[in-house]
Structures are given as C-alpha cells and as structure tokens.
Amino acid sequence: MKKIEAIIREEKLEPVRKALEDSGYFGMTISEVSGRGRQKGIPLQWRVGEYRVDFLPKIKIELVVLDDDVPQTVHAINASARTGDMGDGKIFILPVENAIRVRTGEAGEKAI
Amino acid sequence: MKKIEAIIREEKLEPVRKALEDSGYFGMTISEVSGRGRQKGIPLQWRVGEYRVDFLPKIKIELVVLDDDVPQTVHAINASARTGDMGDGKIFILPVENAIRVRTGEAGEKAI
Amino acid sequence: MKKIEAIIREEKLEPVRKALEDSGYFGMTISEVSGRGRQKGIPLQWRVGEYRVDFLPKIKIELVVLDDDVPQTVHAINASARTGDMGDGKIFILPVENAIRVRTGEAGEKAI
Amino acid sequence: MSISSGDTAWILISSALVMLMTPGVALFYGGMVRRKNVLSTLMMSFAALGLVGLLWILYGYSLSFGPDIGGLLGRLDFIGLRGVGQEPSPVYASTVPHLAFMVFQGMFAIITVALITGAVVERIKFSSLLLFSALWLTFVYAPVAHWVWGDGGWLAELGALDFAGGTVVHICAGVSALALALVLGPRKGFRDGQPMEPHNIPMVMLGAGLLWFGWFGFNAGSALTSGGLAASAFVATNASAAAAAFTWMVLDWIYRRPTMLGTATGAVAGLVAITPAAGFVSPMMGIPIGMGAAVVCYYCMLFRMRRQIDESLDVWAVHGMGGTWGAIATGVFASVAVNSAGANGLLMGNVLQLGKQMAGVAAVWLFAFGATWVLAKLVEVTLGVRVSGMEETVGLDIAQHGERAYGGALR
Amino acid sequence: MSISSGDTAWILISSALVMLMTPGVALFYGGMVRRKNVLSTLMMSFAALGLVGLLWILYGYSLSFGPDIGGLLGRLDFIGLRGVGQEPSPVYASTVPHLAFMVFQGMFAIITVALITGAVVERIKFSSLLLFSALWLTFVYAPVAHWVWGDGGWLAELGALDFAGGTVVHICAGVSALALALVLGPRKGFRDGQPMEPHNIPMVMLGAGLLWFGWFGFNAGSALTSGGLAASAFVATNASAAAAAFTWMVLDWIYRRPTMLGTATGAVAGLVAITPAAGFVSPMMGIPIGMGAAVVCYYCMLFRMRRQIDESLDVWAVHGMGGTWGAIATGVFASVAVNSAGANGLLMGNVLQLGKQMAGVAAVWLFAFGATWVLAKLVEVTLGVRVSGMEETVGLDIAQHGERAYGGALR
Amino acid sequence: MSISSGDTAWILISSALVMLMTPGVALFYGGMVRRKNVLSTLMMSFAALGLVGLLWILYGYSLSFGPDIGGLLGRLDFIGLRGVGQEPSPVYASTVPHLAFMVFQGMFAIITVALITGAVVERIKFSSLLLFSALWLTFVYAPVAHWVWGDGGWLAELGALDFAGGTVVHICAGVSALALALVLGPRKGFRDGQPMEPHNIPMVMLGAGLLWFGWFGFNAGSALTSGGLAASAFVATNASAAAAAFTWMVLDWIYRRPTMLGTATGAVAGLVAITPAAGFVSPMMGIPIGMGAAVVCYYCMLFRMRRQIDESLDVWAVHGMGGTWGAIATGVFASVAVNSAGANGLLMGNVLQLGKQMAGVAAVWLFAFGATWVLAKLVEVTLGVRVSGMEETVGLDIAQHGERAYGGALR
Ligand SMILES: Nc1ncnc2c1ncn2[C@@H]1O[C@H](COP(=O)(O)OP(=O)(O)O)[C@@H](O)[C@H]1O
Ligand SMILES: Nc1ncnc2c1ncn2[C@@H]1O[C@H](COP(=O)(O)OP(=O)(O)O)[C@@H](O)[C@H]1O
Ligand SMILES: Nc1ncnc2c1ncn2[C@@H]1O[C@H](COP(=O)(O)OP(=O)(O)O)[C@@H](O)[C@H]1O
C-alpha cells in the first residue's frame, strides 16, 4: 500500500476528483493547505499599498492505494491537474504499512 | 516509530481523545479535513433546490508512537471511533524514521 | 527522499520560513493544525466562567527534501522554532518513495 | 386629540428600531453557539418575526390591549385589527395612529419570544419551539402585557410601574427561559464540562451593538411622544448601558481578564435593568441602576453555572434577574419630578411604591414560571421537545434545517 | 404649504433607512456566493452607492422628476439640482424640503441598480457592470420612474397605482436581471450541476434583517408624511413580510426542511410584494399578499432552476415576479377608505383598476426587458461582459479586485 | 422657545444613529486587523461606549458646553447633568430638550475616542488605552469642543465654521492618532514588510455601511432642527460620500485594481471631509469636496506608508487630513444662501473666511498633537503603553482579553 499525497491548485480539485473517479478511485481525503514553490506569491492590495502573499492556497489530496494502482492514480492526477504554469504542484508517494477500516475493523488491503 | 493517521467522524473526536488519553497517549496533532468514501455525501438545500455535498467534514488525527505501541493505539482509536455506519473512517500506519523534540533537540524515541 | 513534518508554534512560522530560505529551501507546504502535548491547553473565558482549550493552534510544515539535505533542514527548523518552553513542537522524518512535479511530469530527485 | 407628525415619526422609527433588535438578538445568540448550530439559533429568532408578527395582528394585540376583562385579559374586539385604524386609540397614545401604537407593541412581543430561545439552543426541536412560541405568546405574554400595560390591567391599577417592559418583556422572558430549560434538560456533554466555545464573538458584538441601538426605540419610544420624557428615557438608557458594560468589564478583570463577550453581556444587562425605570427616574440614576445590573447578573450567572443548570445563554440571569433588579430599582429611584404619570419611589420617601413593584415582580415570576412549565410539559408529551442524540451531535443546522452556515469548496 | 418638522424628520430618516438597504443587499447577496467571489459581490452593490449616488444628483433626478415631456420623461430643468432647494417642491411632497424628496428618491435608484447585480455575480466584468449600470439608470430606470411617479407620467395619468416601487423598483430590477443574465450566460459548471454552496448564511440573515428594517423607510416613508397613512403602510409591510417568511418556511418544510436561507428569502419576497400596495390596502391585506408572494416566488424559482437559467440569485423570481404579484394584488385589494389618493380595487367592485395595474405591469415588463437586452448587448460588443475563464476559476475577488475576503497567516 | 416634537424626534434618532457609528467603527477597524487581534480591536471601540458614555454625563458635557471660562473651557455647572433637563437649554438648540442636545453631543465624544484606536491596534496595552482615553477626553476633546462649539468658545467667536465636527472630531482624532502612534512605535514586523493582511474585508464593508448610515445623524442631525437645513446637509453628505468612494475606486484602478477596501475607505474619507461643511455649503459642493477628499487622503496614506510610520489603520490620513481638507474647503465653498448662521467663503468673495478656517485648523492641529504627545508619554512612564513582545506575537485577543474570536472544535 502506498499513500499518494498530491498538492494541487484549488481550481483543479474538480477535474482531479473526476479523473480519479473515472479511474475507479472514490475514497480520498482532502484538505486546505498553503504552498510555496517556484510559483511566486501573489500581490494583493492594501488600500494604497501592495503586499505579496507568499503562501498560496492549494489543495492536498491524500489517497491510500494498493501498490499496483500507484502508476494509474499518479497518471490520473498528473494529467488532470496540469496547466503547464508554475504552481501546478507535486505528487509524493509514501509507503504505508497497514490500513484499518474503522467500521469493520478489517485491516490490510481489504481496508482500502 | 510509526505514524498513525486516523480519519474519523467529527463527533468522535471527543471519545477518541479520551480513549487515547486513557491508554496513556496524550500528545497528538489534529486537523480538519474533508473526506469521501463509501459514505455518500449529504444533501443540502439551496432555497428551492437541493445539492449534494460530496466531501464530508472529518477529523484527521496524527500521532507518532513507538513500534510497540501501535496495536494498542490502533485498538483504542478503532473501538472509540466506530459507529458501524458507513463513513466511520480509516486508520493508516506509516513508517517514521526519526523524530526530534524542538524544545530540547532530543531525537529518536526520547522525542515522542 | 524524505518528508520532514514539523509541528511548530504559529508565531514561529516567520522565522522558520526565513531560516529555511536562508539554507536554500524554498518550496514547502504548510497548514493549520491543532496540537496537544506536554504543553497544557490555555484557559479561555466564557462570560463568568472559564474553560480550557486542550488543542492549541500549531502550524504544520511539510517539506520533501533529498536524503542528504535532511540534517541541514532539521537543524534549520530546530534552531529557528525553539523557545525552550513546552509546546515548541516536533519534527518527524518519513521516507518518501517518489515525487512527481505535476507541471512537467518529471519524477524522482528532479521533481523536488 | 389629534395626530402629531413628530410623535408619529418617533413611534414609527422606534418600531423599526425594536424590529431590528430581533435580528440583533439572533446574532448575539448566534455568535455564542457552536458552528454547527448557528443557523438553528438564528432561525429561532427570525422565525419569531414571522410567527409572532402574524399572531399579534390576528389576535395577540387584542388579548393584550383589548377592552379589559376583569383586569386579567383583553377582549377580542380588536381581532384581525378590527377597529385599529389610522386615528389614535381612545385610550392609548393619543397623538399617534392607533396602528402605530399597535405595531410598536407588536415588536415587543416578537423580541420577547426571541429572547427566550437563548435558553434552549443546540438541542430543541424546531417544530416544538414554534408550537411552544405560539402557546406562550397566547397564554403568558398576552395576559402579562395586559396586566401591566392594558387599560384596566390589574397591575396597572395597583400602580406597579413598568416603563418599557422590565416585567412584561424581561422578567417574563427570563423566568420562562429558566422553566423551559429545566424541562428540556442540558446539552449533551454540558455536565461533563465539555467546552462549548462561542464560534464567533465579533458576531456577538455586532448583535450587542444592534441591540443597544434598537433599545433607544424600545425605551425612549415608550414615552409614546417625542419630547422631554423621551429624551430623559434616552439618556437614562444610555447611562445604564454604559455603566453596566463598564462594571462588567471591571468584574471580569478582577477575576481574570476584561472580555469582549463579558462587556457586551454587561451592556445588555444594563439595558435590561433600565427598561422598567427609563421614563420614571432621573437620567443620572441610570448609573447606579446599570452598575447594580452588572453585579446582580454577574453573580446570578455564576450561581446558575455552579448549579450546573444549562440555561444555555443566560436569559434568566441577564433578562430575568436584570429585569427583576430594574423593577425593584424603579421602586427605589422613581420620581414624579421626571414623569408626572409615574410615582415617587423609596428615595423620595414613598416606601409603598417599592412594595407595589415587588408585588408586580412576584406575580409575574410565579405566573410566568408556572404557566411556562405547564406549556413546556404539554409540548413535551405531544411533539417532544428535544432532537435525537444523533441529531444533537451532528448539529441542528444540518439535522433540523438541512443547511450549513459556512459552506465552501471543502468544508 | 409649509415645511413640517415631523414629516421632514420622517422622510430624512426614511432616506437613511433606504440607504442602509444597499449594504443590506450587498450582504444578502454576498453571503450566497462562493468565498472567492464575496468581495466582488459586495463591491457591485457598494459601487452603486457611489456611481448612482452621483448620477442621480447630476441628471437622474431631473430625468425622472423634472417637468414632463409627453408623459415619457422629465425635462432637464433640475440638472445638477438646479432649483431643488430647502423649500418644498410645488408638485411633490408639499410638507418637506424638495431636497429631502429628491434624496429619498435617489436612494431608491441606488438600490434598484444594486438589486440587479444578483443576477450576474461570480462572472461579470466589473468595468462592464459599471458601464451597464450607468446606461441602465439613464435609459431604463429614469423613464420608468417618470412614467409611474413623475408629474404627468403616462402610467400615473392612466391611474396605475404603485405606492413605493413595485413596478419602478422591483419589476424593473427583476426583469432586467433576467435579460442581463440571459445575455451573460451561466457560470462555469452551473449546467453540470456543480454545487455552488453559499459561503456564509449568517451574512445572508444579517442582510435580510437590514433589508426588513430599511424597508419601513422604503414603504412607510413613501407616504411622504408622518401620520395615519405612514402607520398603515408600516403595518401592511410588516404583515406581508411576516406572512411570506412564514409561508416560505412552511413550503420548504413540506418539500424538505425549513431553512434559514428560504425563510430570509421569503421575507424579502413578502416585502417586495407589499411595496406597490402598502399605502393603498388595509393593513390586514398584507397577509394574503405576503402568502401569495411566497407561493408565487417559490414556484417561479423552481421553474427558473428547471429551465437551467443561471439568473444566479433569483432577482427575477423574487423581485420581478414578487413585484408583478404585488402590482396585480394592488388592483385586487386597494381601497379608497385607506388612502383617498388611491383607488378601489377588484374586491371593492372596481374591475377597471385591475386592468390598469396589468397595463402598468405589461408596459414595464416589455420596456425593461427590451431596453436591458439592447444595453447589455451594447456593453457586450464594446467592453465585453464576462471575465475570462481563468479569472472565473480563480475568483473575481483576486482577479478583478486584487483582494481576498478572509486573509490570514496562511490562507 | 418651546419644544418641537419633530425636531426632537430628529435629534433623538440622530443620536441613536451616531451611537451606532461606534460599533460601525469597531467593525470597520476589526476587519482590517489580523485574526488574532480582532476582539482586542472591537473592544477598544466598544469600551469607549462605556467609559466615555459615563465620563460625558459625569463632567465631560460640562467641560465642553458649560458656561464659558475665557473662551477656553466650560465651567462645571452641568456636572452630573445638574441643570440639564427636559426643557431646552437657553443657549443651544432651542427647540429640543437640553438632555437631547447633551446626549447627541455625547455620542460625538464617544466616537471620537473610538476613532483614535485605529492607530494603535495590535500592540497597545488595554489598561493604558483606557487611561489614555479618559485623559484625552478630558484634556483634549473637551477643550477643543468648547473652543469650536461652546457658547463663547474662542474659535466660535473668531468665526471659524465647523458644522458637525471636522475639526472637533476628525482633525482632533486624526492628529492625536498620529502622535499616539509615534509614541507607541510600530508593530513587530511592520518595518520588515511582514504582510499584515486584513482578516475579514466583508466586516470592513459592513462597518463602512453602518458608518455611512449613521453619518446622516452626525451631519444632518447637526442642524439641530428638522427642516430645510437638515435636508441640505443630508444631501451634501451623501454627495460627498458617493464622490469620494467613486474617486478612490478610480485611483485604485489607475494604480492597480478597484478594491472593496479602498472604496470603503474612500467613502469614509468623503464623509469626513463634508462634516465641517455639510450645513454651510450648497449640496452640490459635496461633489468637489468628496473628490478632493479622496485625492488628499489617498496620497497622504501613500506618504505615511513611504515614511514607514505605523499609524496602523490610517486615522491621520483619513480623519486628520480629510478633516483638514474639509475645514479648508468650508472656507472656500460656504455660502450664507444655504445657512444664514454661516458665512460666505472664498468663492463668494470672502477670503477672510478661509483665513479663519486655517486658523482653526492650525490651532487644533498644534494643540491636539502637543497635548496628546504629553498624555501618551505620561501613560508610557506610568502604566507603559505596549504589551510585551510575546503577547504581541500571540495576539492581543488571548493575551489581553483571554478570548479568541472564532472558536471551534479545533481552532
Ligand atoms: N519541496 C517541497 N516539499 C513540499 N511541498 C512542496 C515542495 N515544493 C513545492 N511544494 C508544494 O507544491 C506547490 C507547487 O510548487 P511550485 O514549485 O510552485 O510548482 P512547480 O513545481 O509546478 O513549479 C507549492 O505551492 C507547495 O505547496
Ligand atoms: N483510499 C482512501 N485514502 C484516503 N482516505 C480515505 C480512503 N478511503 C476513505 N478515506 C477516508 O475515510 C473516510 C471514511 O471512508 P468511508 O468509505 O466513507 O468509510 P467506511 O470505510 O467506514 O465505509 C472518508 O471520508 C475519507 O476521508
Ligand atoms: N506523539 C505525537 N504525535 C504527533 N504529534 C505530537 C505528538 N506529541 C506532540 N505532538 C505535537 O507537538 C506539539 C508540541 O508538543 P508538546 O509536548 O507540547 O511540546 P514539547 O515536546 O516541546 O513539550 C503538540 O501540540 C502536538 O501538535
């Protein structure tokens, strides 16, 4: 099992969600995060002045999948989240040792 | 060391917190996330219409524990978070290579 | 590649950000979390009464770096986030198997 | 007498001000509950604008202000506003249209019902609350309003003074809130000390600001004319609110820190306490009345919490006890030099007035508590009063209203 | 006649109340959009306070209320407020300063423009909206106001009744909103059923509360004197709002749950519908008018949604159709016993009045729809009307205004 | 003369409107600070309602409006409202109760103190702010109010015009804010360009909306009668607010984008600038005055930021400089045709009036700056003025008030 952590643009949540659903991945957890990278922050205005916001709103998708499904999910996310401009985000893959479904107590692959 | 990531129902935070405390686990980090799984979203109303909210509010608990403590914490969470209905959530176990306590700079097991 | 997860005080975000930047680490993802540990919660007031808030606001920094960079980043965070009082937070190091830059599709070390 | 355009302008704008107090109460309460119950809390007040707004013109006004039946209730002559027209009433407010007097009074009825809801937030069934509200307006508010303000009402005849509703509005609401909360029982987790942190204190401040603003219509409008008496009541009102806000802040500070929530609560306590007195006491008396209100309400709230009674947003402590203190203080500080239609109080050597005030307070306490208890039990055995445990956990916004307050991409 | 201080006080405070309705609309709408577009939504209303506030005194008032040209428009005699002074106007509101009447009317023009913006939130270009607003005020609002309220206006001469703006304000705004939304097209994702959850319903309630409060100035202020008629209009207004809020809540409940958003919407629908009738019908008629408004607007909204028309915040269903219902209901319920300057309606045996009302409604519908369509197309081919797809996705707050509503350490 | 019910209604409702401006300021400022300091910011304004509300009736009114002592201060004859009753004052506002005039003036004192707090948010010690406020009311506000408005005040005698408080309220507050901010020093991180993003701009808009609404009481209420002059001041006020909001929006656009925060700020600047002029200039003059205000305040704000002075929410730029521009503009545009109790200005050929206005401005600038500096230093050496660095970092809500604004399950 692997955990896929994708940091994507806010406005890409909808297409990514759809792409994952089309590939058969329904369960996932998302959260609002703020990110910084090559993409420079955005300038916002303050009455007569301006200030730069360094950290931009991003969405983090967390998704635990079976080892075999990793390429497919990564591909689905990658394709649907891309704009080609800086700030498109990252996908990280982390090892997961076990998973438990709280409702049933099932563990391992059945729990996903 | 392992990291336990539990996605639970909002209203189960209190019992889970208590169950963990009773088992001797005090330190933890929580955050507000939104999740989707077998549990279907909820229908909300919009004046005369209705729309479905796909992602439901969940709480994510992050907790780093010693390897030996994993079964016990998982059990505590599992037992206290369960309702038996869809949407009860998941527990994931991830490997952790090291931990540092910022206050003292201590690393490894002492840091937890 | 490793993922550094640091839980720090809200007010230390600025210095940590700076320390990381000075060490050459620019990209990162942050989020608002709530934490509990040795630091006791804070008492807040409710009209004539008082209640204790157990979970205190913290900032979580997530940062994926190359294996060789781990000591340096940990040091930078550790030094800049410390106050010496309880509640300074933790740094966890997790293994990462792969990283993908969405914009280009590059994977592995080039993606960071 | 004929209609005065100045007086009419004053009563109409005062009516609008009192109307605004109901959204004000909604926000004041709404900010104090948890995020999952804010819409439910707002809705309870807002629904009163609809429900009581209708019942009042259908029959409520007549029950309260119709021709007297034995000092106890008004006759139904004014049902459906029959005979309530653009000319002044022969008995009330002789310089403004009868309709203006009627609607001014209606706004009082609405807010009184809204005030009670602070006791029952986060757990009451919405349908039951509506039923209760309708019953309560009919069987508690209308009679008490008649007793105190109706032409021939027995407390009016007795000479108990209540300028703008210390007994009719605040004691009535506060005592009934307590009775209803006792029937309803505490929120889940209340007894275990689970923190129920207010989710939006700026919203509370906004509500308090609107209340303070609207209260000028409530109290100075109750002069029913625009002149010296209205000005005097206006100043007394502001003095009491200022004194109570400041005193509560100091009390907060003595024990811990000066809080926004406490200061806002203090302001409301001061406004409550001056209500029965506003047009009977000299404006400077607003200061002792306000200071007293802060002290009385502060310790009553403490007492309520120690007793572990989940009268959730302290309607009893602030309105019930603030109103009680104000009604008694009226008997102490009143002076005919301020208002010849009033009476002298204890300080002017008239101990009798204090007795009358106490009689009025006692009567309204007993009646409001008893009648509310009966009505609440009635609703309990018919519709039931509480939502299910699961609904309470999920929150009333979603469970009862199918909405959430702060939607968004994710949460 | 000479100036009455009471009447003047009433018109001035009513003007202030109507002014407050524009921030009220801003909040009412602002709470219903997504977080990324709230400032843009607020800004559209707030900018009307600036833009229309200026145009009105420069030439708008004169176009609407200047000496008549063939029943169609006012002459430019009052341009730059020339001849509009501290004395009463010879033809309008004879007991208050001409300036007071002028500014009272100006507040109506401002809010009418603000109302329309509900149709176009989350996608319109801000510069285009400003241009459209200026054109619309000049070529749609000013003529219609003259027809209905101007001395010599053809609808006034015909005898069509509109007490406080059912046709001028609400039909005009609602029908124009529909035309503008059709030119503009739906929001991205609207047709795919993407949820566009309101981001802050307490803000909606606050807006509705301020609207209700301000509407007393709107309707009762339209009596232009402070006396029996104002009181009667005040009571009718409150009755209709209460009835409609309650009825909408019940409809909501029948289909699903009683919602805060629905109840607030119902209140607004009731306020809209009573607007043309307020000073012509007996106050109790507010009840059927309000109940009817809730039903009419509810099903029109349903119809609009079924047709997949993204008239986003239902200006047409609530204001356009609510105003239409109210204008017709005026022809049914009006009575000279209430207002001798009015007329009898159907229920008093005067079927003709109903015909006049329908003629007025039809004329304003046709003109407002047609003229708005032309103006919208004009703006489309010159400035363009929509933001780019990318800007729409990012949100108008950042894209058009360089701001975000809820800043913070992180987000 | 005897009491007019119309005039009294107007002054009472105007007093209520001005009272509402203080919560309005609280929200206007509260939305602009960071989330961790919002309650502290609200509290500073709200506490003024309590503290100044009390001091004003205890002795403030007497210091300002008591019988003249050498043109400099009022005698303490009215201490504790002695002699201030339901009858009109012999010297002020002869058609309304003396109490009404007194409380109307009191609302001005309250908001003036609240205005200053914008300079010191996010770092001042709450206890020190209260002490400073009390001292400032006594030693700065009361004398200046006497000079300008008191019977026999030296600036009044000189003939400097200030209709509703351009010098007394706005220059005083703005200049004092600057002095206080200089003593206090900048917020941590301010000089390093750390972004201090406003946490809730809709709250700012709500505050601005309430301010605009309340300002009609402020300016048109200052006519002290309800008639032509009040109407004229009302229209001038709205014109200036509209012109300034629009102009600021355009300036914003020229440099970057038209922002909500800027437009709201512009509206306030326009309201400030018209304040001294409202009842002395023809209503259309509101347009140039408002446009000028936007330009003046915009560039003063830019100057303030370039100089890296942390006068945090620009009280000096908006109120100080807006008030200065307005006071001077009064000397340019005033006309006795509008108000026979006023004077002609430069445009009517009276260059002298401009000189008088400048003398008034200079006197108040110097006195307010100097006296505030001394008082601030006094507070600094006694109580200290700043919170500790740690408290500033944590936020004043928790550190000074033991509360957080937006509580919840987690944060
Ligand atoms: N080293 C990193 N560790 C964790 N998150 C990162 C890292 N680098 C970038 N990110 C996240 O990815 C987002 C996009 O990064 P950015 O460099 O702007 O995109 P791109 O790689 O497409 O140019 C950032 O906003 C941040 O949230
Ligand atoms: N594959 C997954 N990866 C990450 N989070 C998941 C995954 N599946 C479910 N979740 C999280 O767990 C929550 C509960 O899942 P759900 O399928 O509704 O529960 P259950 O397994 O009890 O039926 C979801 O809301 C989501 O947050
Ligand atoms: N075992 C743990 N797992 C996950 N997070 C933890 C754990 N222990 C502490 N934390 C996080 O670290 C923060 C600081 O912990 P605390 O014990 O107060 O600090 P310190 O170790 O400096 O005394 C907590 O608020 C919590 O967010």
Side-chain angles (χ1 to χ4, degrees), chain E residues 268-283:
Chain E
V268 173
L271 291 161
V272 165
I274 197 66
T275 297
F280 295 124
V281 303
S282 123

PDB file of all heavy atoms in Angstrom, chain E residues 268-283:
ATOM      1  N   VAL E 268     -38.012  38.607   2.140  1.00  0.00           N
ATOM      2  CA  VAL E 268     -37.760  39.586   1.086  1.00  0.00           C
ATOM      3  C   VAL E 268     -38.885  39.555   0.051  1.00  0.00           C
ATOM      4  O   VAL E 268     -39.370  40.597  -0.390  1.00  0.00           O
ATOM      5  CB  VAL E 268     -36.383  39.358   0.440  1.00  0.00           C
ATOM      6  CG1 VAL E 268     -36.185  40.261  -0.761  1.00  0.00           C
ATOM      7  CG2 VAL E 268     -35.282  39.609   1.466  1.00  0.00           C
ATOM      8  N   ALA E 269     -39.340  38.369  -0.304  1.00  0.00           N
ATOM      9  CA  ALA E 269     -40.433  38.265  -1.278  1.00  0.00           C
ATOM     10  C   ALA E 269     -41.678  38.986  -0.768  1.00  0.00           C
ATOM     11  O   ALA E 269     -42.365  39.692  -1.512  1.00  0.00           O
ATOM     12  CB  ALA E 269     -40.741  36.801  -1.570  1.00  0.00           C
ATOM     13  N   GLY E 270     -41.965  38.814   0.514  1.00  0.00           N
ATOM     14  CA  GLY E 270     -43.128  39.483   1.091  1.00  0.00           C
ATOM     15  C   GLY E 270     -42.970  40.990   1.088  1.00  0.00           C
ATOM     16  O   GLY E 270     -43.927  41.738   0.833  1.00  0.00           O
ATOM     17  N   LEU E 271     -41.772  41.441   1.375  1.00  0.00           N
ATOM     18  CA  LEU E 271     -41.522  42.886   1.379  1.00  0.00           C
ATOM     19  C   LEU E 271     -41.661  43.459  -0.029  1.00  0.00           C
ATOM     20  O   LEU E 271     -42.177  44.555  -0.223  1.00  0.00           O
ATOM     21  CB  LEU E 271     -40.119  43.154   1.948  1.00  0.00           C
ATOM     22  CG  LEU E 271     -40.000  42.860   3.449  1.00  0.00           C
ATOM     23  CD1 LEU E 271     -38.545  42.689   3.873  1.00  0.00           C
ATOM     24  CD2 LEU E 271     -40.646  43.974   4.262  1.00  0.00           C
ATOM     25  N   VAL E 272     -41.172  42.698  -0.999  1.00  0.00           N
ATOM     26  CA  VAL E 272     -41.302  43.135  -2.390  1.00  0.00           C
ATOM     27  C   VAL E 272     -42.780  43.272  -2.771  1.00  0.00           C
ATOM     28  O   VAL E 272     -43.215  44.300  -3.308  1.00  0.00           O
ATOM     29  CB  VAL E 272     -40.622  42.120  -3.338  1.00  0.00           C
ATOM     30  CG1 VAL E 272     -41.058  42.355  -4.776  1.00  0.00           C
ATOM     31  CG2 VAL E 272     -39.113  42.192  -3.202  1.00  0.00           C
ATOM     32  N   ALA E 273     -43.544  42.232  -2.482  1.00  0.00           N
ATOM     33  CA  ALA E 273     -44.923  42.200  -2.974  1.00  0.00           C
ATOM     34  C   ALA E 273     -45.794  43.276  -2.354  1.00  0.00           C
ATOM     35  O   ALA E 273     -46.702  43.810  -2.997  1.00  0.00           O
ATOM     36  CB  ALA E 273     -45.526  40.819  -2.727  1.00  0.00           C
ATOM     37  N   ILE E 274     -45.546  43.628  -1.115  1.00  0.00           N
ATOM     38  CA  ILE E 274     -46.377  44.645  -0.469  1.00  0.00           C
ATOM     39  C   ILE E 274     -45.982  46.050  -0.924  1.00  0.00           C
ATOM     40  O   ILE E 274     -46.732  47.011  -0.716  1.00  0.00           O
ATOM     41  CB  ILE E 274     -46.288  44.516   1.074  1.00  0.00           C
ATOM     42  CG1 ILE E 274     -47.454  45.278   1.755  1.00  0.00           C
ATOM     43  CG2 ILE E 274     -44.982  45.039   1.611  1.00  0.00           C
ATOM     44  CD1 ILE E 274     -48.796  44.695   1.488  1.00  0.00           C
ATOM     45  N   THR E 275     -44.815  46.176  -1.533  1.00  0.00           N
ATOM     46  CA  THR E 275     -44.312  47.503  -1.886  1.00  0.00           C
ATOM     47  C   THR E 275     -45.295  48.340  -2.708  1.00  0.00           C
ATOM     48  O   THR E 275     -45.597  49.477  -2.344  1.00  0.00           O
ATOM     49  CB  THR E 275     -42.947  47.356  -2.585  1.00  0.00           C
ATOM     50  OG1 THR E 275     -42.044  46.766  -1.654  1.00  0.00           O
ATOM     51  CG2 THR E 275     -42.397  48.693  -3.024  1.00  0.00           C
ATOM     52  N   PRO E 276     -45.859  47.817  -3.806  1.00  0.00           N
ATOM     53  CA  PRO E 276     -46.773  48.673  -4.568  1.00  0.00           C
ATOM     54  C   PRO E 276     -48.081  48.923  -3.847  1.00  0.00           C
ATOM     55  O   PRO E 276     -48.782  49.900  -4.136  1.00  0.00           O
ATOM     56  CB  PRO E 276     -47.009  47.864  -5.848  1.00  0.00           C
ATOM     57  CG  PRO E 276     -46.701  46.450  -5.498  1.00  0.00           C
ATOM     58  CD  PRO E 276     -45.608  46.521  -4.472  1.00  0.00           C
ATOM     59  N   ALA E 277     -48.405  48.053  -2.896  1.00  0.00           N
ATOM     60  CA  ALA E 277     -49.726  48.085  -2.275  1.00  0.00           C
ATOM     61  C   ALA E 277     -49.760  48.793  -0.934  1.00  0.00           C
ATOM     62  O   ALA E 277     -50.826  49.234  -0.484  1.00  0.00           O
ATOM     63  CB  ALA E 277     -50.224  46.643  -2.086  1.00  0.00           C
ATOM     64  N   ALA E 278     -48.590  48.913  -0.284  1.00  0.00           N
ATOM     65  CA  ALA E 278     -48.547  49.247   1.141  1.00  0.00           C
ATOM     66  C   ALA E 278     -49.508  50.356   1.581  1.00  0.00           C
ATOM     67  O   ALA E 278     -50.174  50.224   2.602  1.00  0.00           O
ATOM     68  CB  ALA E 278     -47.111  49.585   1.558  1.00  0.00           C
ATOM     69  N   GLY E 279     -49.560  51.449   0.836  1.00  0.00           N
ATOM     70  CA  GLY E 279     -50.392  52.563   1.275  1.00  0.00           C
ATOM     71  C   GLY E 279     -51.752  52.613   0.602  1.00  0.00           C
ATOM     72  O   GLY E 279     -52.447  53.615   0.711  1.00  0.00           O
ATOM     73  N   PHE E 280     -52.107  51.560  -0.095  1.00  0.00           N
ATOM     74  CA  PHE E 280     -53.414  51.545  -0.758  1.00  0.00           C
ATOM     75  C   PHE E 280     -54.346  50.474  -0.216  1.00  0.00           C
ATOM     76  O   PHE E 280     -55.526  50.465  -0.536  1.00  0.00           O
ATOM     77  CB  PHE E 280     -53.249  51.323  -2.274  1.00  0.00           C
ATOM     78  CG  PHE E 280     -52.523  52.442  -2.975  1.00  0.00           C
ATOM     79  CD1 PHE E 280     -51.382  52.192  -3.735  1.00  0.00           C
ATOM     80  CD2 PHE E 280     -52.971  53.762  -2.878  1.00  0.00           C
ATOM     81  CE1 PHE E 280     -50.712  53.214  -4.386  1.00  0.00           C
ATOM     82  CE2 PHE E 280     -52.304  54.799  -3.523  1.00  0.00           C
ATOM     83  CZ  PHE E 280     -51.170  54.526  -4.279  1.00  0.00           C
ATOM     84  N   VAL E 281     -53.795  49.536   0.535  1.00  0.00           N
ATOM     85  CA  VAL E 281     -54.626  48.432   1.037  1.00  0.00           C
ATOM     86  C   VAL E 281     -54.716  48.482   2.549  1.00  0.00           C
ATOM     87  O   VAL E 281     -53.855  49.049   3.217  1.00  0.00           O
ATOM     88  CB  VAL E 281     -54.053  47.058   0.611  1.00  0.00           C
ATOM     89  CG1 VAL E 281     -53.928  46.966  -0.911  1.00  0.00           C
ATOM     90  CG2 VAL E 281     -52.706  46.795   1.271  1.00  0.00           C
ATOM     91  N   SER E 282     -55.733  47.873   3.061  1.00  0.00           N
ATOM     92  CA  SER E 282     -55.853  47.837   4.518  1.00  0.00           C
ATOM     93  C   SER E 282     -54.743  46.912   5.051  1.00  0.00           C
ATOM     94  O   SER E 282     -54.388  45.924   4.412  1.00  0.00           O
ATOM     95  CB  SER E 282     -57.252  47.348   4.875  1.00  0.00           C
ATOM     96  OG  SER E 282     -57.199  46.212   5.686  1.00  0.00           O
ATOM     97  N   PRO E 283     -54.197  47.258   6.215  1.00  0.00           N
ATOM     98  CA  PRO E 283     -53.017  46.541   6.699  1.00  0.00           C
ATOM     99  C   PRO E 283     -53.157  45.024   6.730  1.00  0.00           C
ATOM    100  O   PRO E 283     -52.220  44.300   6.423  1.00  0.00           O
ATOM    101  CB  PRO E 283     -52.832  47.099   8.109  1.00  0.00           C
ATOM    102  CG  PRO E 283     -53.453  48.438   8.091  1.00  0.00           C
ATOM    103  CD  PRO E 283     -54.554  48.386   7.093  1.00  0.00           C
TER     104      PRO E 283
END
